């Protein structure tokens, strides 16, 4: 009986000691996690401020911040595993296995990451550019690991997966620095074409939002001879930020100027010949 009692005491002592040590390790791990996350947040704020101070490329900033944050948190987890007492080699192998499983489960997400890296390397556009892609038309606000954020002229925020962008046509309207707005308008056959062109050209030259020099100077040309009218085309060049101001307001000024000069709308016309 004494032997059994001694064995039970030793067993209880072993369990108590083990639980006590494990409890201390768990408390230490939780404390290390809280402190580590606080330090990482502090480091990330410092890196973000450094990027802003050095005027670092706005396109790369979100991607680098996400990558650095992920690496720091992964190192923190590995360190905490060592505090708890898990073998680092075994834990690394476990992480690798989990990573493979997650990669298989989120195969599409990996495609978004690869597409995001392609966008950052080849730079078909950058943050601040005016682009058309995947049905969205607006300014690029952010290029992250998974998605690109576009703010439209209607103040809508379009969040598009990167793989959807690289798989479709991308039109960058900011690449050159300015763009041309084609504005068609029509006058009746028999009207003074030269005078109509001059009226419209005067409107374009007096518009402060339209570029006026060199190859970007505005012009007006005959575009098409339609069934009921002569179609002319106003060709102003503008900076991207003035696109819609010219697209809407200048078009109205053209209509008003032609109306003031007694150019009537080119309604459908028919010539009827009557015979007895």
């Amino acid at each position: 009986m004494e032997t059994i009692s001694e064995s039970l005491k030793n067993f209880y002592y072993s369990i108590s000691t083990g639980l006590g040590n494990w409890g201390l390790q768990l408390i230490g791990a939780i404390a290390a996690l809280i402190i580590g996350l606080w330090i990482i947040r502090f480091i990330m704020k410092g890196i973000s401020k450094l990027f802003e101070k050095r005027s670092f490329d706005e396109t790369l900033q979100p991607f680098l911040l996400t990558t650095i944050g992920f690496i720091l948190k992964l190192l923190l987890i590995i360190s905490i595993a060592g505090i708890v007492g898990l073998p680092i080699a075994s834990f690394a192998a476990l992480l690798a296995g989990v990573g493979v499983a997650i990669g298989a489960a989120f195969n599409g997400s990996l495609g978004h990451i690869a597409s995001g890296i392609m966008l950052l390397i080849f730079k078909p556009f950058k943050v601040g550019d005016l682009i058309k892609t995947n049905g969205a038309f607006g300014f690029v606000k952010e290029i992250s690991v998974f998605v690109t954020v576009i703010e439209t002229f209607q103040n809508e925020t379009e969040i598009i997966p990167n793989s959807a962008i690289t798989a479709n046509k991308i039109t960058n309207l900011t690449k050159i620095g300015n763009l041309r707005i084609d504005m068609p308008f029509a006058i009746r056959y028999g009207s003074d074409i030269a005078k109509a062109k001059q009226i419209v050209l005067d409107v374009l030259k007096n518009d402060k939002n339209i570029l006026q020099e060199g190859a970007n100077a505005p012009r007006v040309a005959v575009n098409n001879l339609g069934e009921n009218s002569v179609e002319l085309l106003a060709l102003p060049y503008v900076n991207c930020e003035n696109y819609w101001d010219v697209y809407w307001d200048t078009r109205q000024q053209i209509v008003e100027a032609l109306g003031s000069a007694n150019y009537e709308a080119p309604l459908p016309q028919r010539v009827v010949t009557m015979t007895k």
Side-chain angles (χ1 to χ4, degrees), residues 185 187 192-204 219-223 230 232-234 258 263:
F185 62 96
I187 59 175
D192 190 332
I193 297 176
K195 182 181 177 182
K197 289 174 62 177
Q198 188 59 51
I199 291 171
V200 175
L201 189 60
D202 289 341
V203 172
L204 301 181
R219 63 170 299 190
V220 182
V222 175
N223 185 51
V230 178
L232 287 86
L233 198 62
L258 290 173
Y263 280 87

Side-chain angles (χ1 to χ4, degrees), residues 3 11 44 53 101 120 161 189 201 208 213 222 230 252 269:
T3 303
F11 178 72
M44 296 306 297
K53 185 177 180 181
L120 293 170
Y189 280 108
L201 189 60
K208 61 181 173 77
E213 298 180 357
V222 175
V230 178
Q252 177 180 340
Q269 302 177 31

